[in-house]
Amino acid sequence: MNHLAKLDRKFVWHPFTQMRDWLRGEPIVIVSAKGVVLCDVRGKEYLDANSSIWTNLHGHQHSKINSAISRQLKKIAHSSALGFANEPASVLAKNLVNAADLKLENKNSKLSKVFYSDDGSTALEVALKLAYQFTLRTRGWSSAFRLSGNKLKPELQPKFLSLEGAYHGDTIGAVSLGHINLFHKAYGGMLFRTDKVMAPYCYRCPFNRAQPERNDARKYRKCNWECVGLVEKKFLAQNKKGNPYAAFVFEPLLQGAAGLIPQPSGWLGQVTEIARNHGALLIADEVMTGFGRTGVTCHVDDKAIANVAKNPAAAKLFATGRVGITPDFLCVAKGLTGGYLPMAATLTTQKVFDAFLGEYEEFKTFFHGHSFTGNQLGAAASLASLEILQTKQSVLQRTRLQKWLHEELQSLWVLPNVGDIRQVGLVAGIELVKNWQTREPFTLSERAGIRVCEAMAKRGVLTRPIGNVIAILPPYCTTQTQLRKMISALAESIDECFHQSANKKRRQK
Ligand SMILES: *Cc1c(COP(=O)(O)O)cnc(C)c1O
């Protein structure tokens, strides 16, 4: 075994990993990369089919990001945002605000302030704490808070509504906002209560009366938007309690860790309008969906590509922007630095900002901050990444990649173990089932997703499953040939894992 692999096995504890399984094998040790290709310590090459857990945008070792970091490194790597401003973080804040700008009439609801932190979880913690304090202040409850000796009556506690299956990160506040049962079971006693409401999952929706077809379930579903009705009901019921929801938290266009589950077209607009009408703040978690990941337009054909070529500047970088929604909080992380460095940001409005202004001794200050807030290296990488994203070349590249991804994915429908193929822009989730005609799922102990990904790794393609869902999120620089290789490795692996015996028989004949 390679000595680095030995060191890892001896000393490192990996995230979200059953270490007993890990210790049974030899880990792949990544030592370098270029573009879409990762290289391990033995010199074997792999395609990075999930963009290094959804972070990488333009490929590894991008010359522009590399040189932006080196240039910054020659000036300073880090100074504190507690007490000082710095060069790249100031410029980046302006550029992020511009990138999120939908040219609204009402300047007060524009995202115009940037609070930096380090990762997606903390970007959500910041939004959560800001929304909590903002609600207390604007509802005049902070005085009630003080009067009752720092104990707020439960019926006055600002309440949050989020979606079933939601994932917002792993710190305690972020886990509390999320609704993945497994994590709630593990940490139940430490979490605070948030409410949840049904999220669309057309493929397995109890309200969808359609029989399975060889198509994305959103396209053939038969329902009456019951999922929207349930959101409305939830808001009405909470209003009756005299404590309307402080905020509605959501991953726009698709839920990531829930299993790459997209929302049918129109859902997001309807539910955010309901939330707004009931006075709730909108917290958009764009940690995965941000920076072009959800594509330039909904559907891409040659005409769409031609339109994009005519006006690349119109391409929106955020999922909320793509559908014309301005949240009160926009949380970004993963792709912010192009996937190079840990950095996150929470964008919010002037209105929220103003609620924290006051005399020093009023303590209206936002009491939150991290040592590496506004880090210069991260900000320099982010600036370079944003610049690349806004070039015509990148916009066109993303649009073409979205089209290729759609075309390649269609080849998977012939496999009986593929139940649903769902694509939003440059994200695809392929749900594996025992039998597509019944949608019967694999059981946990069958480890269907893990086995398929292991078989893909042998073929030189790396990704990580979410249960029975295989995630394909190619870096934006992926070529058509590389994409083809990712999808054919997936097809062959599914075949190998579930139909090997049938195949052998076929070959013997
Ligand atoms: C990854 C992710 C997070 C958490 O981000 P970290 O950087 O891993 O803390 C939060 N929300 C969504 C939607 C994510 O995909």
Side-chain angles (χ1 to χ4, degrees):
M1 189 176 296
N2 172 272
H3 81 283
L4 294 173
K6 275 191 201 147
L7 288 179
D8 177 278
R9 286 166 48 98
K10 185 145 188 224
F11 295 111
V12 181
W13 190 341
H14 286 262
F16 283 102
T17 302
Q18 176 41 258
M19 291 307 286
R20 182 183 279 179
D21 290 340
W22 181 269
L23 292 172
R24 284 195 185 117
E26 179 174 346
I28 295 172
V29 181
I30 302 293
V31 288
S32 65
K34 178 83 191 152
V36 185
V37 180
L38 297 164
C39 191
D40 79 3
V41 72
R42 296 178 184 282
K44 186 169 159 66
E45 294 185 340
Y46 305 85
L47 294 176
D48 191 0
N50 76 345
S51 292
S52 296
I53 207 75
W54 318 352
T55 56
N56 193 284
L57 300 186
H58 316 287
H60 300 273
Q61 299 254 27
H62 192 287
S63 61
K64 283 211 174 115
I65 304 182
N66 278 18
S67 54
I69 295 174
S70 329
R71 247 182 287 128
Q72 181 58 45
L73 197 53
K74 285 184 193 126
K75 295 183 189 167
I76 181 173
H78 180 70
S79 64
S80 174
L82 298 167
F84 309 102
N86 79 56
E87 185 183 355
S90 310
V91 183
L92 177 62
K94 177 185 134 226
N95 292 5
L96 280 174
V97 162
N98 285 343
D101 190 7
L102 293 183
K103 307 275 180 291
L104 298 174
E105 310 257 304
N106 182 357
K107 288 286 173 247
N108 247 355
S109 45
K110 184 184 149 165
L111 294 166
S112 57
K113 297 285 171 185
V114 177
F115 193 96
Y116 288 116
S117 60
D118 307 334
D119 51 60
S121 308
T122 52
L124 265 295
E125 293 286 340
V126 167
L128 180 69
K129 284 185 173 178
L130 284 173
Y132 180 88
Q133 274 289 316
F134 178 82
T135 304
L136 285 179
R137 287 166 197 203
T138 49
R139 289 180 183 172
W141 290 344
S142 20
S143 44
F145 190 76
R146 243 172 276 133
L147 284 176
S148 58
N150 280 356
K151 268 240 149 68
L152 195 62
K153 285 194 207 138
E155 62 270 24
L156 286 187
Q157 208 50 265
K159 298 261 311 183
F160 292 83
L161 181 66
S162 41
L163 297 171
E164 266 171 23
Y167 176 75
H168 297 298
D170 295 329
T171 53
I172 294 298
V175 178
S176 299
L177 283 178
H179 294 290
I180 291 183
N181 290 341
L182 200 62
F183 309 157
H184 275 247
K185 267 198 204 120
Y187 305 110
M190 302 169 80
L191 306 173
F192 59 85
R193 258 205 66 153
T194 60
D195 284 357
K196 67 177 173 191
V197 68
M198 182 185 185
Y201 184 179
C202 299
Y203 182 62
R204 295 199 177 279
C205 179
F207 298 113
N208 181 2
R209 289 167 280 113
Q211 287 305 308
E213 288 178 21
R214 302 317 268 156
N215 201 347
D216 181 329
R218 288 173 295 168
K219 305 263 168 68
Y220 63 82
R221 73 182 203 278
K222 285 195 189 124
C223 70
N224 297 310
W225 287 108
E226 284 87 349
C227 53
V228 174
L230 285 171
V231 172
E232 175 125 56
K233 224 167 120 186
K234 199 86 193 167
F235 273 97
L236 285 170
Q238 186 65 24
N239 273 21
K240 275 212 190 105
K241 294 180 189 163
N243 180 12
Y245 284 118
F248 177 53
V249 191
F250 55 93
E251 296 162 72
L253 293 186
L254 84 159
Q255 289 188 291
L260 300 169
I261 305 174
Q263 297 143 11
S265 160
W267 179 87
L268 188 60
Q270 294 182 68
V271 296
T272 49
E273 194 179 321
I274 292 169
R276 279 254 186 262
N277 289 342
H278 287 86
L281 296 162
L282 299 180
I283 301 180
D285 177 350
E286 295 233 25
V287 172
M288 185 270 278
T289 56
F291 304 105
R293 192 40 86 177
T294 61
V296 176
T297 57
C298 184
H299 179 72
V300 167
D301 49 21
D302 291 331
K303 202 170 133 220
I305 294 180
N307 280 341
V308 167
K310 259 183 253 157
N311 189 9
K316 297 280 176 279
L317 288 184
F318 299 105
T320 42
R322 234 194 65 189
V323 288
I325 293 164
T326 306
D328 301 281
F329 300 92
L330 179 75
C331 306
V332 297
K334 288 191 172 94
L336 171 60
T337 60
Y340 268 59
L341 289 159
M343 182 179 219
T346 305
L347 277 69
T348 190
T349 60
Q350 186 70 41
K351 196 166 146 196
V352 170
F353 181 80
D354 286 347
F356 290 77
L357 300 179
E359 298 303 328
Y360 172 75
E361 64 276 14
E362 284 181 278
F363 295 127
K364 283 189 166 182
T365 307
F366 179 44
F367 295 108
H368 184 106
H370 304 279
S371 311
F372 284 102
T373 289
N375 172 264
Q376 281 98 324
L377 292 179
S382 305
L383 277 170
S385 174
L386 262 184
E387 200 179 306
I388 299 165
L389 277 168
Q390 286 160 334
T391 60
K392 180 175 175 180
Q393 192 200 351
S394 171
V395 177
L396 269 177
Q397 195 174 34
R398 271 138 55 199
T399 317
R400 269 189 238 114
L401 185 58
Q402 181 176 343
K403 181 168 171 267
W404 296 336
L405 182 58
H406 178 78
E407 290 165 358
E408 292 300 324
L409 286 170
Q410 304 315 306
S411 68
L412 299 175
W413 287 118
V414 299
L415 301 168
N417 296 103
V418 168
D420 196 24
I421 301 174
R422 28 194 197 244
Q423 181 191 359
V424 178
L426 301 172
V427 184
I430 296 97
E431 182 162 341
L432 305 173
V433 290
K434 276 196 170 159
N435 176 350
W436 76 266
Q437 280 156 321
T438 59
R439 300 191 185 101
E440 188 191 346
F442 286 105
T443 58
L444 261 181
S445 59
E446 287 171 282
R447 299 166 71 251
I450 297 174
R451 278 161 53 207
V452 167
C453 288
E454 282 169 357
M456 288 172 77
K458 275 193 254 143
R459 292 174 168 79
V461 176
L462 295 184
T463 184
R464 196 178 160 87
I466 306 164
N468 296 331
V469 178
I470 308 298
I472 302 287
L473 290 86
Y476 300 167
C477 61
T478 306
T479 64
Q480 193 169 14
T481 312
Q482 287 169 324
L483 189 70
R484 223 166 246 164
K485 184 169 173 203
M486 289 176 190
I487 304 298
S488 59
L490 172 57
E492 286 167 28
S493 301
I494 294 174
D495 208 49
E496 178 190 306
C497 288
F498 311 120
H499 288 276
Q500 211 171 28
S501 48
N503 268 354
K504 263 191 206 139
K505 267 187 221 137
R506 220 181 296 146
R507 257 179 255 132
Q508 279 162 5
K509 276 182 197 165

